[in-house]
Amino acid sequence: MKKPLGAQISHMLSDRGVDVIFGIPGVHNQEMYRGIEEAGIRHVLARHEQGAGFMADGYARASGKPGVAYVITGPGLLNTLTPLAQAYSDSVPVLAISSCLDETASRKGQLHQMRDQEGAAATVCDWSETAHTAAAAYGLIERAFEEFELARPRPKAIQVPIAQLEALADPAPFPNQPALRLTAQDPDIAPVLSLLNLARRPLFILGGGARSNLWRQIVTQLGAACFTTYAGRGQVGADYPLNFGATLARPGSAAVIGSADLVIAVGTELAEVDLWREDLGHSTTLVRVDLDPQVLSDGQRALIKLQADGTSFAKTLWSATEGVKPATGWSAEEVTKTRARWRAEADAERPGILPVIDALRAAVPPDAMIYSDMTQFAYLAKEVWDMHYPHHWHHPTGFGTLGYALPAGIGGAVARGGKPTMVIAGDYGFHYTMQELGVAVELGLSLPIIIWDNGKLKEIEESMQRAQIAPNAVIARNPDFCAMANAFGAASAAPASLTEMQEAVRAAFTAKGPTLIYLTPDIV
Ligand SMILES: Cc1ncc(C[n+]2csc(CCOP(=O)(O)OP(=O)(O)O)c2C)c(N)n1
Ligand SMILES: [Mg+2]
């Protein structure tokens, strides 16, 4: 049956498994809202398109499905560019569908007109295209979903001219048969196996792309030590005696890596934000496993490069490890001592936060999913908070955007349908997107929102001090955060002790709406 294209698009998305769309309507994209309910899709109304974009990101990270945002021409799309750039750097499948003007070359001064909307989105997305016909819209959506599945997932922007959204169109074609990955065949790991047979101190570095529940068994069987990136936490389990944890950013990790006689890095960019130094520190063969040729060809001098996804690699490796004798060069004692030293080092760098982190972790269910912002609390926590499950801590890693945590956590909580989800933000960063509290209240999300209020932009103040700049522009007047949360209809707590904090956090996970939990460094 013919319907306006705007409505057909929602049906097409629904047929491809989309059950939630985050967005904001306007007169330009209202046709996209005609079919949402009929298609069985839930819409979450953000308070700012940046919020909608981060919600789509948080939803995608929690569900593994693409996150979709509906926004208007011009300012609506521009407001989502920051989240789209964040999704690009962290390889998150986000699809932004917006309206656009029908004609811009000869008509100036139209509502929401800008110079080059398609081009603007192209600067931060994998691609940005305009669908001038219904067939083009369907083709682009199909392509986006196919690429999310088959290639490194990255955000895409599709814009549809207003007249097209309004015009009657036939339904989209049935979903394509899912394509089979070429790389689905077992990667050839023979050279890796020969090296493993010789290695005394093999070391794995597991990133967010390592995705497999076999890693614990693999490293145990091989007697291998491991590091994870922040995004790779939870792949092996904190109680594995040879797990150095997410401590790559400790300068001393270079020496440990240098002492390994085989290093295998899986599904990690080994980027600046993973290492905070140029060189990994290895002095031996580096094996690199990744889907992305750009990662394989970077400056880390990998001797063996395998183009494979982490899941297939782990599967093939596991089926071949039986014949490999476990290595004996690492000792659990060495790992424990090193970790204790690094923990003390991290504690000394940002004093006073570690006891709060430990107490918080003890009160959080092991399967909680955590969304953190750019705050000292999270920088330290990411290093010392061992995760029970992989892909349960999400941070605006690559792009480093303040204001990520709350909206992304809302998107995550929506995807998780009641499973424990928590937000951690700093006092300053919270200002960026705090209006999205209204969404969390509206949806009745049982979301603890931890605010770490050190009264300033502390990370920046300390950086200025290190650079011998007299700190300035690093103090903002904060609102009464608890009163503000209450004004939005959220609950709040300002615990004076760590025990009170734990009680507040436990209660927040089962509350009928969000709870802002206000912490200051005075807490004891
Ligand atoms: C969009 C954006 N603007 C600016 C920055 C730079 N920046 C990083 S941390 C920070 C201060 C954050 O202060 P707060 O949230 O209070 O955390 P704290 O460091 O005090 O724990 C700023 C301004 C950024 N990361 N993102
Ligand atoms: Mg602060």
Side-chain angles (χ1 to χ4, degrees), residues 265-276:
V266 186
T268 166
E269 283 182 294
L270 301 175
E272 181 190 34
V273 290
D274 297 314
L275 304 177
W276 297 107

Side-chain angles (χ1 to χ4, degrees), residues 168 252 421 460:
L168 288 179
T421 309
I460 309 308

Side-chain angles (χ1 to χ4, degrees), residues 50 82 353 373-379 399-403 425-432 452-461 478:
Q50 179 171 207
T82 301
I353 311 180
D373 220 281
M374 302 294 285
T375 162
Q376 293 197 323
F377 193 93
Y379 305 148
F399 207 47
T401 314
L402 276 178
D427 56 304
Y428 184 70
F430 195 58
H431 284 83
Y432 280 67
W452 177 249
D453 182 4
N454 49 24
K456 52 179 72 165
L457 295 67
K458 191 145 195 270
E459 185 70 3
I460 309 308
E461 181 184 74
N478 282 326

